Amino acid sequence: MSANSSASPSAFSPTSVTGMATTVIQTAQESPTSLIASSLVVTASIDLATVTSSSSASTPSSSPCHGDNWDRGVNALDPDAPPKPWPVAGQLVYIQDPNNYCINLPDPKDSYLIENWWSKGVNPTFVQAEGHVRSHCVGTLAPGALPMPPGAVKSLHIRKNQSLNGKAYHQLSGSLDCQILNMTCTGDNGGQYDSVPYRNCGKEPYSGVDTTQNPGFADYVEIGGDGIVCMRACVSGQVDGDPCSAKGDTKGCGVLTQGTDDYGDGFTMIDGSGSPVSFSINTVSPIKTSSIATATALATSVASPSGMNTTSKSGAYANAVSVFAASVMFAWTV
């Protein structure tokens, strides 16, 4: 609806209809032959005003997942919910140090992303992949996660064992090589991944924190776009005042991190109130798996999505993932 048409209902307010009636009376006095036509105009105007008024009165102020209403109700059921347990394998994140962490990124095997972007030679943005994520890890793999392609993370800065309003959290921020990750990081591309439940309109409601790596943490919020990413893993709570507040998704990393995000060169970690410690990053991060069979299954599960050009730097992502997994399969088992 255009700006002009959206303003049309106000033209038939009670005040304007009264004015039209006055015009009819004056018309009748001046030219009785014009009375019938003028009366039809007023009658139609009154009918439209009545319909517009009753329609507005019966329309809810805000349907679920729009405006200020982010609650589907206590009995809301997701028809597409995956089998429990939740959170599901493949969408778990955690933060330990610059050589051990997982973040969620567009899933290279997701059929929706393949059909609508990659098969057409286009890379999705961070926001376009909301609801279609897969955890990517450096170091220890979370269950169902993919290894981060070498070079995909250009810098990373971790703040561990922090506290906000008495609630504990870990935080990371850094820069990404979006070409390696098959992502578009130019233009209006910012988005947020989080563990907000389905009832509250979350797009990744079955994602969460790998509690074997971050015990006691239940929620996470991750924001990315323009080649940067920031994420917090926290104790439970995602409202204003919580370290993992999910209510600033359009405000960016600066709001989520209260200005403590860092995208400069290098790989560092601050533990508690300590000073930054620089890390040497493993060229090929070891993948710790429970068995050779697990590593084999992982390498098999990340075959290149159809339609992707695996001869280019960006298109080689899926192949790099599977080759990377296979290359370390025998090198690190526990």
Side-chain angles (χ1 to χ4, degrees):
M1 182 177 288
S2 67
N4 289 335
S5 61
S6 65
S8 297
S10 64
F12 299 105
S13 64
T15 301
S16 61
V17 171
T18 300
M20 288 183 181
T22 302
T23 300
V24 169
I25 294 172
Q26 292 172 344
T27 301
Q29 292 172 341
E30 297 171 0
S31 177
T33 58
S34 302
L35 176 59
I36 295 177
S38 298
S39 298
L40 290 174
V41 172
V42 173
T43 301
S45 300
I46 292 173
D47 289 343
L48 180 56
T50 302
V51 171
T52 302
S53 176
S54 62
S55 175
S56 298
S58 63
T59 301
S61 58
S62 179
S63 58
C65 305
H66 293 85
D68 295 326
N69 184 359
W70 298 97
D71 191 346
R72 287 186 167 104
V74 66
N75 295 319
L77 297 176
D78 182 1
D80 299 316
K84 291 185 177 181
W86 303 334
V88 297
Q91 296 186 9
L92 299 173
V93 301
Y94 75 86
I95 301 173
Q96 283 287 4
D97 60 53
N99 277 318
N100 293 277
Y101 61 90
C102 296
I103 61 176
N104 275 327
L105 292 169
D107 183 358
K109 287 187 65 65
D110 184 89
S111 59
Y112 170 80
L113 297 180
I114 293 172
E115 179 180 352
N116 291 280
W117 281 276
W118 287 315
S119 66
K120 299 177 181 179
V122 179
N123 290 330
T125 65
F126 203 94
V127 67
Q128 287 168 339
E130 286 183 350
H132 305 274
V133 300
R134 184 80 171 266
S135 49
H136 289 61
C137 303
V138 170
T140 305
L141 286 175
L146 301 178
M148 187 74 72
V153 179
K154 298 191 295 184
S155 68
L156 193 78
H157 305 280
I158 289 177
R159 301 175 68 90
K160 194 174 179 182
N161 295 319
Q162 305 296 304
S163 178
L164 177 67
N165 297 326
K167 293 189 173 184
Y169 69 92
H170 302 333
Q171 172 184 303
L172 64 75
S173 57
S175 58
L176 304 175
D177 187 321
C178 295
Q179 187 178 8
I180 290 177
L181 292 169
N182 276 324
M183 295 172 62
T184 294
C185 288
T186 57
D188 186 12
N189 63 87
Q192 176 171 300
Y193 308 149
D194 53 54
S195 50
V196 171
Y198 174 80
R199 172 181 173 176
N200 300 112
C201 308
K203 292 186 176 181
E204 299 84 28
Y206 309 106
S207 63
V209 178
D210 182 356
T211 55
T212 62
Q213 300 296 325
N214 288 160
F217 285 180
D219 289 319
Y220 83 99
V221 175
E222 178 184 344
I223 297 177
D226 294 323
I228 64 172
V229 65
C230 65
M231 185 182 78
R232 279 183 172 179
C234 317
V235 297
S236 181
Q238 291 191 297
V239 299
D240 288 340
D242 291 331
C244 274
S245 172
K247 304 186 74 172
D249 58 329
T250 62
K251 298 178 181 177
C253 286
V255 171
L256 174 65
T257 66
Q258 290 85 47
T260 60
D261 47 333
D262 185 353
Y263 309 103
D265 294 340
F267 296 81
T268 65
M269 184 171 77
I270 296 175
D271 193 345
S273 58
S275 299
V277 176
S278 296
F279 274 68
S280 296
I281 302 304
N282 298 332
T283 303
V284 177
S285 300
I287 301 176
K288 301 178 183 179
T289 58
S290 57
S291 67
I292 292 178
T294 302
T296 304
L298 172 67
T300 303
S301 71
V302 292
S304 175
S306 61
M308 294 178 65
N309 175 14
T310 56
T311 61
S312 67
K313 177 183 178 184
S314 59
Y317 169 35
N319 277 1
V321 167
S322 58
V323 172
F324 178 64
S327 67
V328 298
M329 183 169 58
F330 298 101
W332 192 288
T333 58
V334 294

